[in-house]
């Protein structure tokens, strides 16, 4: 809004839990993302961080203007929508305790597609935001393509196909 370009970003409450230690878990294991089950699992030392994306997520309608780096209480009814998927992907989760929970705001776009490229109507303003939990994963490639777009007039890859 400060540059005269409001962005269609929504704050959503996103949660994950960290399990108690699991036999065989260690930091050298790969992250797992199951798009069909809408869950992810990540090694967290000898434990596992598990989370997912609900069909009816909780949006934070009016974020406080002074809010920074805070967390919410976990809504177990919302989080447990994905537990069947976690157990299906990793049966050991069913009988493992929960060591801690994390629930915080994350920026999402209404169509779950990132905002990348020149901002219409604001000369010189380029967007690379709204990555919907994929910012770290996509940042290197998007940075390279946005730089090519700024310098040469177009990205080198089809970013929208």
């Amino acid at each position: 809004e400060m540059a005269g370009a409001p962005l269609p970003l929504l704050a959503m409450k996103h949660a994950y839990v960290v399990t108690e230690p699991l036999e065989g878990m260690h930091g050298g294991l790969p992250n797992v993302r199951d798009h069909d089950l809408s869950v992810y699992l990540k090694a967290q030392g000898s434990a596992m961080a598990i989370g997912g994306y609900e069909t009816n997520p909780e949006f934070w309608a009016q974020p406080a203007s002074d809010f920074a780096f805070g967390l919410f209480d976990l809504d177990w009814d919302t989080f447990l929508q994905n537990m069947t998927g976690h157990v299906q992907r990793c049966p050991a989760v069913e009988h493992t305790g929960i060591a801690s929970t994390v629930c915080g705001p994350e920026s999402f776009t209404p169509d779950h597609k990132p905002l990348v490229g020149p901002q219409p109507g604001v000369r010189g303003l380029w967007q690379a935001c709204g990555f919907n939990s994929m910012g770290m994963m996509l940042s290197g490639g998007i940075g390279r393509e946005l730089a090519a777009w700024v310098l040469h007039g177009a990205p080198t890859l089809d970013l929208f196909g």
Side-chain angles (χ1 to χ4, degrees):
E1 291 178 11
M2 290 176 13
L7 302 174
L9 298 173
L10 305 169
M12 185 181 85
K13 295 180 180 180
H14 182 69
Y16 67 90
V17 301
V18 178
T19 68
E20 296 289 343
L22 286 157
E23 186 175 337
M25 286 299 298
H26 58 83
L29 295 173
N31 294 340
V32 174
R33 173 79 191 268
D34 187 320
H35 289 275
D36 293 329
L37 297 174
S38 200
V39 298
Y40 60 86
L41 308 96
K42 301 188 270 191
Q44 185 95 15
S46 63
M48 193 173 353
I50 60 175
Y53 300 94
E54 302 82 15
T55 56
N56 63 335
E58 292 183 55
F59 290 97
W60 189 19
Q62 289 292 4
S65 61
D66 62 346
F67 180 87
F69 305 106
L71 297 174
F72 304 108
D73 291 332
L74 180 65
D75 181 326
W76 284 99
D77 289 334
T78 300
F79 183 80
L80 290 175
Q81 293 175 40
N82 292 316
M83 196 50 98
T84 301
H86 291 300
V87 171
Q88 183 178 339
R89 188 54 46 230
C90 181
V93 168
E94 184 173 16
H95 304 290
T96 303
I98 302 298
S100 61
T101 66
V102 177
C103 182
E106 191 159 354
S107 177
F108 281 77
T109 56
D111 64 0
H112 290 273
K113 297 184 186 330
L115 304 172
V116 179
Q119 174 65 39
V122 184
R123 186 171 186 263
L125 179 61
W126 294 77
Q127 303 293 349
C129 58
F131 284 94
N132 311 305
S133 295
M134 296 182 290
M136 293 300 288
M137 180 174 61
L138 298 177
S139 61
I142 287 296
R144 182 192 67 212
E145 293 306 307
L146 194 58
W149 202 345
V150 170
L151 291 173
H152 306 296
T156 63
L157 300 172
D158 178 5
L159 301 179
F160 307 106

